[in-house]
Amino acid sequence: MKIATYNVNGVNGRLPVLLRWLHETVPDVACLQELKAPKGKFPEEAIKNAGYEAIWHGQKSWNGVAILSKIGAPVEMRNTLPGNEDDVQSRYIEAMVNGVLIGCLYLPNGNPAPGPKFDYKISWFERLSKHAEALLKSGNPVVLTGDFNVMPTEIDVYKPERWADDALFRPETRLAFKNLVAQGWTDAIRKLYPAETIYTFWDYFRNAYGRNAGLRIDHFLLSPAINKRLIAAGVDRHVRGWEKTSDHGPVWIELAD
DNA sequence: ATGTCAAAATCCTTTTGA
């Protein structure tokens, strides 16, 4: 079972890129972030024609998450994180697919930091951690994936000193990620590649992709019940080099059946 | 402070978030 995550940076604007990638790599499940489309503007037909059934939670202009599956329709469990009824941002969707509970998330960027946006990021992180703990306690096979907007350690940033004060790399952010993982989750990429330079995002600025000035901010966290099934993981980094592409590359894992 | 990109409002140029 191959599961991918991809921050598409606009599901309609990047639709040709998304479809090309789906056709090329054929993941069983694809978690998407930054749809930047309201409910009615999700390209359901094109996705269906590509062989996928989908659930999504959209929002005008920003955010938005979706789960696509070609191995049976995703059964939606929830489309918000618990803990704040007033939060209207579409950043979480969760579904059961083929016996695996999949949480697809788009954690707030949080810049500029400090400030209200950073406070929102940290509080969203707390809500995610609380929910993640409940998922772990269920004992189910769980995959938490998406754009976490966190570089967990220094090897996940091309120039750590430049990012020290950024919301994606501040000590509070890294600590929140570390504490989340410490609940019992496994960072899939780092389990297979503990020390390699692996990036999932390259800024549009200053030829970042060409210089490989990247960040690793899209992650897969695996629960103990599914951990041992991990057999491969990687980044489709060439997709970042396509025309009209997202600033993220797709990331994927493969699980034994 | 800068750089790029896409989409929406302020509406064919500027503002915004990333």
Side-chain angles (χ1 to χ4, degrees):
Chain A
M1 183 180 183
K2 184 176 180 181
I3 307 173
T5 183
Y6 188 16
N7 180 323
V8 290
N9 191 6
V11 73
N12 288 304
R14 318 286 186 189
L15 188 59
V17 169
L18 172 63
L19 296 175
R20 181 180 170 189
W21 167 71
L22 285 173
H23 188 254
E24 182 185 286
T25 71
V26 199
D28 294 305
V29 178
C31 297
L32 309 181
Q33 303 86 34
E34 278 207 86
L35 303 178
K36 294 185 172 177
K39 189 178 180 185
K41 291 279 178 66
F42 183 82
E44 186 178 14
E45 209 52 41
I47 300 263
K48 188 182 264 181
N49 290 339
Y52 290 86
E53 294 178 273
I55 59 167
W56 65 94
H57 190 206
Q59 183 182 338
K60 192 178 174 184
S61 303
W62 297 303
N63 308 321
V65 283
I67 299 176
L68 282 48
S69 166
K70 69 192 325 280
I71 52 171
V75 179
E76 185 171 315
M77 296 290 138
R78 53 168 53 250
N79 67 12
T80 56
L81 270 184
N84 184 357
E85 307 266 305
D86 300 328
D87 186 357
V88 295
Q89 299 193 25
S90 300
R91 295 180 174 277
Y92 189 80
I93 193 163
E94 184 181 291
M96 192 64 88
V97 183
N98 195 25
V100 179
L101 187 76
I102 298 174
C104 169
L105 64 102
Y106 175 46
L107 208 132
N109 177 297
N111 279 307
K117 290 191 173 180
F118 189 65
D119 295 341
Y120 175 63
K121 177 176 197 157
I122 295 298
S123 69
W124 203 94
F125 223 135
E126 284 167 7
R127 287 165 60 203
L128 175 65
S129 296
K130 204 166 277 182
H131 183 56
E133 195 156 36
L135 292 178
L136 270 188
K137 279 184 182 152
S138 75
N140 289 322
V142 184
V143 174
L144 273 182
T145 187
D147 178 0
F148 284 70
N149 269 315
V150 182
M151 295 84 88
T153 70
E154 300 216 329
I155 65 170
D156 301 310
V157 201
Y158 67 100
K159 270 193 178 161
E161 66 279 7
R162 287 212 190 153
W163 290 80
D165 295 325
D166 192 276
L168 281 67
F169 200 53
R170 288 175 68 94
E172 303 94 316
T173 308
R174 276 188 273 170
L175 181 64
F177 187 85
K178 193 180 171 191
N179 287 340
L180 170 60
V181 171
Q183 291 176 353
W185 299 92
T186 296
D187 178 338
I189 287 277
R190 283 292 169 233
K191 183 187 182 190
L192 296 182
Y193 304 100
E196 288 196 36
T197 296
I198 297 173
Y199 300 138
T200 68
F201 167 94
W202 297 262
D203 218 312
Y204 290 121
F205 302 162
R206 287 163 290 189
N207 190 32
Y209 179 64
R211 296 183 296 118
N212 197 28
L215 310 172
R216 190 176 74 98
I217 56 177
D218 301 271
H219 306 297
F220 278 92
L221 299 186
L222 311 182
S223 76
I226 204 166
N227 196 5
K228 290 190 182 75
R229 288 171 56 186
L230 179 68
I231 48 181
V235 180
D236 294 329
R237 95 186 279 298
H238 66 286
V239 173
R240 177 62 181 79
W242 291 352
E243 288 292 310
K244 305 279 280 178
T245 199
S246 168
D247 40 7
H248 294 249
V251 190
W252 54 269
I253 60 169
E254 197 164 339
L255 302 170
D257 291 328

